[in-house]
Amino acid sequence: MSRAIAAKYTPFYRHQHNNEYLPVVKRQWTNSMGTMVVAANEYGLTDLTFLPQKEEWSTRKITLMDGLPAAKGLAEQHIDQAVKQIELYLNGELNEFSVPLAPVGTEFQHQVWQALLALPFGTACSYSDIAEQIERPKAVRAVGSANGANHIALLIPCHRVIGKSGTLTGYAYGLEIKRRLLAIESAI
C-alpha cells in the first residue's frame, strides 16, 4: 500500500475564501535535525518546517486562526502524533508516517504531493519522474515549483527528489539537511 493511501490526506485549495484550512495550533521543538515547527488544524498537519540554523534559508510564516476548543484538541493530537513519529523516524525506528495531512495548494500541487507520498521509503526520483507519474511529462519545471511549495517537509517527502543525474539538488532547508534525511532513509 502506498503512503498516499495509508495516511488521511485532506486537500485544501488556495481559491477557498474561508479560513477553514488554516492551522489552529503550532509547536516548536528541537531534535537531532535542529529546531522544527509543526502546525495543524482539525483535519491534520498543515505545516512542518525546519528553523534556520545559520540563516541559510528563511522560515515560512505560519498564520494561526482562532479555533474552537474541539478543533484545537484535534490539532494538538495530530501534532503529538507527528512529533512522536518524527522522533522515531530520526532514530531509525520508523519508515512510514500515518499522521493525517491537510496541505493547502493548487490542484496541480496536490497531484505532485500525492506522487511524492507514493514514493517508497528509501528511494529517490527526479522532477521528470514525478512529471511522468502524474501524466504531465512536459511539466518538469512546474513539478519543481510544486515541490518547493510543499509546506509539510519530511512527511510529504520532497527531500527524495534529486537531479536526474543522481546529484543532490536544492532543498528549501539546505543540502546538508537533505543529505542527512536521505542518509537516515538509506540506513533503515
Side-chain angles (χ1 to χ4, degrees):
M1 179 181 294
S2 77
R3 162 73 176 84
I5 295 168
K8 183 177 177 190
Y9 184 96
T10 305
F12 289 99
Y13 297 94
R14 293 201 193 288
H15 66 271
Q16 291 174 310
H17 296 291
N18 60 32
N19 288 333
E20 177 180 11
Y21 59 81
L22 291 175
V24 295
V25 176
K26 74 178 176 178
R27 184 181 309 159
Q28 178 176 315
W29 87 104
T30 301
N31 56 44
S32 63
M33 293 297 289
T35 302
M36 299 177 86
V37 177
V38 64
N41 60 27
E42 64 189 284
Y43 303 101
L45 293 188
T46 58
D47 300 86
L48 176 60
T49 186
F50 295 88
L51 291 184
Q53 298 167 349
K54 300 175 187 171
E55 298 304 320
E56 297 172 35
W57 63 84
S58 59
T59 301
R60 291 185 165 144
K61 183 176 169 130
I62 300 173
T63 303
L64 294 178
M65 71 171 202
D66 289 332
L68 298 173
K72 286 184 176 184
L74 288 170
E76 286 285 356
Q77 289 174 18
H78 298 316
I79 288 175
D80 289 344
Q81 182 182 9
V83 169
K84 181 178 179 182
Q85 288 186 9
I86 290 166
E87 292 296 331
L88 290 170
Y89 167 88
L90 294 175
N91 290 328
E93 300 171 31
L94 182 78
N95 63 10
E96 185 173 315
F97 298 103
S98 60
V99 179
L101 305 176
V104 177
T106 65
E107 185 174 338
F108 180 80
Q109 288 169 334
H110 286 294
Q111 289 175 351
V112 170
W113 299 337
Q114 286 284 336
L116 290 170
L117 287 167
L119 283 174
F121 181 85
T123 63
C125 70
S126 67
Y127 293 140
S128 59
D129 293 332
I130 296 291
E132 290 287 337
Q133 185 178 342
I134 64 170
E135 299 178 355
R136 305 274 303 269
K138 295 183 180 191
V140 176
R141 286 187 179 171
V143 166
S145 292
N147 195 53
N150 171 23
H151 281 238
I152 308 176
L154 184 60
L155 295 163
I156 298 179
C158 55
H159 62 279
R160 293 181 189 158
V161 179
I162 61 173
K164 193 165 183 136
S165 65
T167 58
L168 288 186
T169 56
Y171 186 57
Y173 308 106
L175 289 181
E176 181 56 31
I177 287 183
K178 182 173 192 167
R179 192 175 289 112
R180 289 174 62 192
L181 293 173
L182 292 172
I184 288 168
E185 294 191 9
S186 68
I188 296 178

